Amino acid sequence: MVKPFSAIQRNAYLEEMEGQELDLLVIGGGITGAGIALDASVRGLSTGVVEMQDFAAGTSSRSTKLVHGGLRYLKQFEVKLVAEVGKERAIVYENAPHVTNPEWMLLPIYKDGTFGKAATAVGLKVYDKLAGVKRKERRNMLNKKKTLEKLPMLREDGLKGSGVYVEYKTDDARLTLEIMKEAVHRGTKAVNYTKAEELFYENGRVAGAKVTDLISGRSFNIRAKRVVNAAGPWVDELREKDGSKKGKYLYLTKGVHLVIDQSRFPLQQAAYFDTEDDGRMIFAIPRDGKTYVGTTDTYYDGRIASPRMTQQDLDYILNAANYMFPGLKLEEKDVESSWAGLRPLIHEEGKSASEISRKDETFISESGLISIAGGKLTGYRKMAERIVDMVAKDLGVKAKCTTDKIVLSGGDVGGSKGLENFLEEQTKAGVALGLSEEEAGKLVKLYGSNVKRVYEILETSGEEARHFQLPKSVFASLVYGMEEEMTVTPIDFFNRRTGALFFDIQWVRKWKTNVLNYLAYRLHWTHNQRVRFEKELEKEIAYAAHPEEKVHEDKVAQ
């Protein structure tokens, strides 16, 4: 059976792309590139995607993991942005309920804090109106007593009350993957670890790209009528290759999040609160037995591919958490994992990182290269619509955007209303196949309606798990990742496919060798490839668990 998104068939997809002229080549496999590919494919455009790293490996797996309505943008009077992303998050929820769920957020109000009580009440009411928030999810204002009943760990000194409103929690990397998988299902050819080395031109117009498969080393010339640069933090590098980096440019900022076990940070109610010193606001959010806290927002000019948590980042977030939750007394040793990501913002003279607009920007060069940068995860679909509208008009395609009605891969669970029943039924189905209730429940939440394919793997190949000394649930997840989600390396599996590097790092340490063994066997790695991927995994584990100043790469694999 031909699997259109298999790690084993990557070369075949590249050969197919080289063998035709595409309508559209998208460079960049984050959420923006995935959204563009889906919209273009739905409108009938032959579409290819190349991604230099893994899908979602950049900004799209390193966010605060919220499909957020952008409450804080009201402070910057970004009314149109708040209205658009507020409505968009409801669409994301309906189309991918398995990776998106409502999360009530508490916004504590303190004397001399960022938000006063009256301003918060008005702000949240305006936010509800602009974002089209459902009646049952509209904000509530609480007094001090009710606030402390909801979140007894809060600092009491100066507390006046709180506002409670709804955000939507997501798994950003899996959301990106589900969009890409839906695009592939509808005809897109997408390949990771494939770098656009240079653009080529015909009659002064960009006509495609020479790309290199970073796994095999082979190069391919992919021709396309239109080329879109959706490379996130790398957008300006591609504009430089095109000779069109003029005017506005990217301003990269770094955001860091820490993950702490609930035994040390027993947070049951998500919160969005002021820091003590600089008045920035950060989130603390419970997830899967952990609490994650972030984020920082600092200018970044280091290596784009590998932003890291520094000691300063770690201390800043711990101090903020200890200030707001004084009983915790968190220390560095309590941090189990972390992640650092880059925001590709559009430079604005005289503004700090936190003040720069999160609006997206489109650049069209003289050669016809279309570049898109900035924007929010929540607004990915509208960004894609604007880009594909341009491309479709150029190519004489009259079809309009319909992605607001398209259920994403894994989302066929009966909508947000049918999700609970689906989870219950499929968990029982997993238990009937010999999984524990916990194992089955995790798989259903991770894969949504695609869990049925994972269960098929269990039924047909489950016995092979013994040979590699892997639990059946891990084995089935790994095989599904390789065959249906283009899992190429162990870090793809432990980070973007399962989220375990951040939220269950001990599980990663437990199964890393066995997972490496299976990937090496199925993908026919050379000895050098195995060494390379093992070192990469060890390095990412080390950097997740420690500030970069304390990680010595020569000792990582020891």
Side-chain angles (χ1 to χ4, degrees):
M1 181 172 130
V2 175
K3 297 183 188 303
F5 204 35
S6 166
I8 298 160
Q9 294 172 317
R10 291 172 62 262
N11 263 332
Y13 310 142
L14 287 165
E15 285 169 1
E16 284 175 30
M17 280 195 263
E18 188 175 47
Q20 65 179 114
E21 182 185 38
L22 298 168
D23 290 323
L24 175 63
L25 174 64
V26 181
I27 300 171
I31 198 161
T32 306
I36 292 167
L38 175 58
D39 194 343
S41 290
V42 169
R43 297 199 216 187
L45 301 178
S46 60
T47 304
V49 179
V50 291
E51 163 57 50
M52 178 176 69
Q53 303 184 107
D54 183 28
F55 303 109
T59 303
S60 299
S61 59
R62 300 165 187 243
S63 71
T64 304
K65 307 191 185 298
L66 293 172
V67 183
H68 127 58
L71 172 66
R72 75 188 182 88
Y73 307 131
L74 276 183
K75 280 181 70 183
Q76 300 163 4
F77 301 103
E78 299 271 16
V79 173
K80 190 177 176 187
L81 180 64
V82 173
E84 180 172 287
V85 297
K87 292 182 175 81
E88 281 302 302
R89 78 181 180 174
I91 293 170
V92 175
Y93 182 41
E94 283 307 315
N95 292 344
H98 63 304
V99 287
T100 319
N101 58 283
E103 179 81 34
W104 283 95
M105 191 72 62
L106 186 141
L107 181 66
I109 300 164
Y110 286 90
K111 185 181 177 185
D112 302 324
T114 299
F115 292 99
K117 204 161 191 176
T120 301
V122 171
L124 287 174
K125 190 169 184 178
V126 171
Y127 174 75
D128 283 350
K129 183 79 174 166
L130 285 172
V133 174
K134 298 172 190 171
R135 186 178 295 277
K136 66 179 181 180
E137 293 179 359
R138 288 179 188 163
R139 63 97 173 94
N140 293 307
M141 298 302 295
L142 306 178
N143 61 24
K144 179 176 179 177
K145 180 171 179 287
K146 292 281 187 189
T147 298
L148 289 170
E149 284 173 9
K150 263 198 176 302
L151 194 47
M153 292 189 295
L154 269 179
R155 181 171 63 87
E156 291 190 47
D157 182 35
L159 180 65
K160 297 170 76 174
S162 64
V164 182
Y165 69 103
V166 167
E167 288 282 19
Y168 280 64
K169 192 160 63 176
T170 192
D171 182 324
D172 48 5
R174 287 220 57 85
L175 176 61
T176 302
L177 277 167
E178 301 297 26
I179 298 164
M180 192 68 83
K181 284 157 65 183
E182 190 61 34
V184 167
H185 171 68
R186 291 168 180 270
T188 292
K189 290 181 174 60
V191 187
N192 53 6
Y193 297 104
T194 303
K195 183 179 181 180
E197 303 280 7
E198 58 188 72
L199 301 170
F200 54 79
Y201 302 82
E202 290 175 7
N203 302 317
R205 301 282 296 175
V206 65
K210 177 186 176 182
V211 305
T212 300
D213 178 356
L214 300 179
I215 304 299
S216 71
R218 283 183 64 189
S219 290
F220 301 83
N221 290 321
I222 300 176
R223 297 172 62 252
K225 293 170 186 168
R226 294 292 179 273
V227 179
V228 169
N229 168 17
W234 289 269
V235 157
D236 276 356
E237 289 192 8
L238 211 54
R239 289 172 74 203
E240 280 179 358
K241 286 180 192 286
D242 182 56
S244 60
K245 187 186 164 189
K246 299 166 189 169
K248 292 182 180 179
Y249 58 91
L250 292 192
Y251 179 97
L252 302 181
T253 73
K254 184 178 73 168
V256 172
H257 296 77
L258 309 182
V259 180
I260 298 156
D261 193 77
Q262 284 261 329
S263 62
R264 278 297 286 121
F265 197 161
L267 187 74
Q268 301 305 316
Q269 165 67 59
Y272 183 35
F273 57 89
D274 283 338
T275 56
E276 181 179 12
D277 298 324
D278 58 8
R280 284 195 68 256
M281 296 195 70
I282 65 175
F283 291 96
I285 301 171
R287 173 172 162 167
D288 300 335
K290 311 292 177 187
T291 295
Y292 67 98
V293 195
T295 179
T296 58
D297 201 359
T298 52
Y299 173 66
Y300 184 79
D301 62 356
R303 287 188 65 227
I304 296 175
S306 52
R308 303 296 185 191
M309 170 182 68
T310 64
Q311 188 70 48
Q312 188 177 0
D313 296 327
L314 185 146
D315 291 342
Y316 175 87
I317 296 172
L318 285 183
N319 288 340
N322 284 331
Y323 171 68
M324 190 50 60
F325 307 102
L328 288 176
K329 297 181 171 53
L330 294 170
E331 300 175 47
E332 184 175 324
K333 67 182 181 184
D334 297 315
V335 177
E336 288 190 352
S337 189
S338 69
W339 66 90
L342 300 180
R343 305 175 191 89
L345 309 179
I346 310 301
H347 178 263
E348 293 181 52
E349 202 65 50
K351 289 196 175 182
S352 72
S354 296
E355 292 173 322
I356 293 176
S357 170
R358 266 53 177 171
K359 285 188 293 192
D360 58 280
E361 187 92 27
T362 302
F363 307 94
I364 303 172
S365 79
E366 290 176 9
S367 73
L369 177 70
I370 302 170
S371 300
I372 181 161
K376 297 286 299 171
L377 176 141
T378 315
Y380 85 88
R381 202 190 61 79
K382 292 302 284 184
M383 290 161 65
E385 181 180 350
R386 290 191 280 273
I387 295 297
V388 181
D389 278 351
M390 256 186 270
V391 173
K393 185 179 178 183
D394 280 356
L395 299 180
V397 174
K398 295 196 175 357
K400 301 295 182 188
C401 176
T402 57
T403 52
D404 58 329
K405 301 289 191 295
I406 288 173
V407 174
L408 299 179
S409 177
D412 190 13
V413 296
S416 54
K417 291 176 183 172
L419 181 61
E420 283 305 314
N421 282 341
F422 180 87
L423 291 173
E424 191 178 326
E425 285 170 13
Q426 291 303 315
T427 299
K428 284 178 183 170
V431 170
L433 289 171
L435 298 177
S436 70
E437 192 170 333
E438 183 185 6
E439 286 174 321
K442 277 186 178 177
L443 291 178
V444 181
K445 285 177 183 172
L446 197 60
Y447 298 113
S449 53
N450 288 324
V451 79
K452 294 170 186 176
R453 171 67 189 129
V454 180
Y455 287 167
E456 278 178 20
I457 293 166
L458 262 180
E459 288 183 288
T460 57
S461 313
E463 289 308 306
E464 197 181 353
R466 276 193 212 167
H467 180 68
F468 290 91
Q469 297 179 303
L470 283 165
K472 285 187 176 183
S473 61
V474 179
F475 175 80
S477 194
L478 182 56
V479 173
Y480 178 78
M482 288 176 56
E483 295 184 352
E484 313 279 353
E485 296 185 333
M486 206 171 279
T487 297
V488 174
T489 76
I491 199 65
D492 298 347
F493 178 69
F494 285 122
N495 184 346
R496 271 85 54 183
R497 305 304 181 276
T498 62
L501 180 70
F502 303 149
F503 295 103
D504 197 353
I505 199 166
Q506 293 304 335
W507 186 83
V508 179
R509 291 183 174 118
K510 183 174 182 178
W511 299 115
K512 62 184 180 180
T513 302
N514 308 61
V515 165
L516 268 158
N517 289 341
Y518 186 74
L519 286 169
Y521 163 71
R522 281 294 301 276
L523 297 176
H524 308 293
W525 287 347
T526 63
H527 171 73
N528 286 346
Q529 282 178 317
R530 183 185 169 107
V531 169
R532 168 185 153 196
F533 295 137
E534 187 167 14
K535 276 188 176 175
E536 179 188 76
L537 177 59
E538 294 292 354
K539 184 169 78 171
E540 292 305 316
I541 291 171
Y543 277 117
H546 305 285
E548 70 173 339
E549 297 92 331
K550 295 183 179 176
V551 177
H552 302 287
E553 289 196 23
D554 56 331
K555 296 178 181 175
V556 160
Q558 293 178 12

